[in-house]
Amino acid sequence: MMLQPTFSIITITYNAVRLVEQTLLNVLSQSYPNIEYIVIDGGSTDGTVDIIKQYESGLAYWVSEPDKGIYDAMNKGLQKATGDYVWFINAGDSLCSSDTVQSVVSRLQKRKALPDIIYGETNIVDEERRSLGLRRLRAPRKLSWKSFRMGMLVCHQSFIPKRTVAPLYDLQYRYSADFDWCIRCMKQARSFCNTHLTLSDFLDGGTSTTQRKVSLRERYAIMCKYYGTFVTVLLHGWFAVRFYAAKCLKGRV
């Protein structure tokens, strides 16, 4: 029997008038038919909603209303999803090609049952969609919840869990709830599929230094929660050595 799962692809937007149309067109152009496309907008006032309305015939559900931040919006998307898998492709991000979902499904045809989590690599792009190369952290050959001790080795946009193993995001984390969410998905999962494909184009967006510091503190707390304080401290010592070694090597080039 051919496996033909449904993918609930969820796009979160907020005042993304320059970015949202490209993402909408990218998802709506997918050659694979079993896609439930959901768009959650945070009450945009810049024309984003007008663009979404142009494509609403291709959407399973969309809404524009205030929310408590991106992870609250993601929870709204999860609560509306009915597909076998949930896949977050936010405004500015995209799938690598119009055949990306079909390529993922083709990888599943050799399996007897659907895996709990599907994953792959991520390409980084700028606002002109020029490739900046693959993400520095690469997806491991075999993934488990313990893999993220070494950081978020699979980008959120290339991490596709079954809806049945995907909990709501923990809103106590303002900047790193996706890190926590992926770990919780993996702790529930029993089977994984490495597609060995580059699945998504992630828009390179700089966060402020203040936000980055808060994000890193949140990730540290999350790692302590799942992996223990002692292990987390040791690993961060190794991260620091690796960072400064790479910085010194770059300075010599």
Side-chain angles (χ1 to χ4, degrees), residues 119 121 138-144 147-148 153-154 194 196:
Y119 68 101
E121 301 290 356
R138 305 296 291 272
R141 188 173 64 86
K142 290 187 177 181
L143 183 67
S144 79
S147 301
F148 276 28
L153 300 186
V154 180
N194 184 351
H196 299 284

Side-chain angles (χ1 to χ4, degrees), residues 142-160:
K142 290 187 177 181
L143 183 67
S144 79
W145 71 272
K146 295 182 179 179
S147 301
F148 276 28
R149 288 181 297 183
M150 303 308 295
M152 197 166 181
L153 300 186
V154 180
C155 187
H156 193 235
Q157 285 75 2
S158 297
F159 182 90
I160 315 163

Side-chain angles (χ1 to χ4, degrees), residues 8 30 32 42 46 64 71 103-104 107 136 139 145 154 160-161 177 201-202 204 206 213 218 246 249:
S8 293
Q30 289 298 305
Y32 183 71
D46 67 341
S64 179
Y71 298 118
S103 297
V104 168
R107 292 293 197 275
R136 181 178 60 83
W145 71 272
V154 180
I160 315 163
D201 288 338
F202 174 71
D204 183 41
K213 287 180 179 179
E218 286 185 354
L249 183 63

Side-chain angles (χ1 to χ4, degrees), residues 13-244:
T13 71
Y14 180 65
N15 286 344
V17 69
R18 292 183 302 105
L19 304 171
V20 67
E21 187 169 33
Q22 187 275 335
T23 300
L24 292 170
L25 288 170
N26 172 264
V27 176
L28 292 172
S29 71
Q30 289 298 305
S31 59
Y32 183 71
N34 298 342
I35 292 175
E36 174 187 64
Y37 194 18
I38 295 168
V39 177
I40 308 294
D41 179 76
S44 293
T45 58
D46 67 341
T48 296
V49 173
D50 293 329
I51 294 174
I52 295 171
K53 286 179 178 178
Q54 293 177 32
Y55 299 97
E56 63 183 340
S57 62
L59 306 180
Y61 174 84
W62 77 276
V63 69
S64 179
E65 62 186 17
D67 54 48
K68 298 174 184 176
I70 187 170
Y71 298 118
D72 181 42
M74 287 179 171
N75 281 344
K76 291 180 181 181
L78 284 173
Q79 289 167 328
K80 290 296 181 181
T82 65
D84 297 293
Y85 291 97
V86 292
W87 193 345
F88 285 94
I89 300 293
N90 293 335
D93 302 328
S94 61
L95 301 166
C96 278
S97 77
S98 60
D99 293 321
T100 295
V101 182
Q102 182 61 63
S103 297
V104 168
V105 174
S106 296
R107 292 293 197 275
L108 302 180
Q109 299 303 335
K110 301 174 184 177
R111 305 174 71 100
K112 294 180 180 179
L114 293 174
D116 290 331
I117 290 175
I118 302 165
Y119 68 101
E121 301 290 356
T122 302
N123 188 44
I124 308 298
V125 298
D126 63 18
E127 286 197 16
E128 282 70 47
R129 315 312 297 176
R130 293 176 299 210
S131 176
L132 303 177
L134 286 177
R135 187 168 176 262
R136 181 178 60 83
L137 293 178
R138 305 296 291 272
R141 188 173 64 86
K142 290 187 177 181
L143 183 67
S144 79
W145 71 272
K146 295 182 179 179
S147 301
F148 276 28
R149 288 181 297 183
M150 303 308 295
M152 197 166 181
L153 300 186
V154 180
C155 187
H156 193 235
Q157 285 75 2
S158 297
F159 182 90
I160 315 163
K162 264 188 178 176
R163 182 170 52 85
T164 52
V165 303
L168 295 179
Y169 290 83
D170 188 338
L171 299 186
Q172 73 170 299
Y173 303 115
R174 294 182 60 200
Y175 301 107
S176 297
D178 53 346
F179 185 65
D180 173 78
W181 182 78
C182 287
I183 294 172
R184 286 191 290 143
C185 287
M186 291 187 287
K187 284 178 74 73
Q188 292 292 321
R190 295 293 175 267
S191 56
F192 297 77
C193 174
N194 184 351
T195 63
H196 299 284
L197 296 170
T198 302
L199 299 179
S200 64
D201 288 338
F202 174 71
L203 178 63
D204 183 41
T207 57
S208 72
T209 303
T210 302
Q211 289 176 340
R212 180 162 177 76
K213 287 180 179 179
V214 174
S215 175
L216 289 173
R217 283 199 295 269
E218 286 185 354
R219 287 198 182 198
Y220 180 83
I222 291 165
M223 289 181 68
C224 287
K225 179 170 71 172
Y226 292 111
Y227 308 124
T229 302
F230 179 71
V231 169
T232 300
V233 170
L234 286 180
L235 286 170
H236 276 71
W238 162 241
F239 295 158
V241 170
R242 186 177 63 183
F243 172 79
Y244 285 110

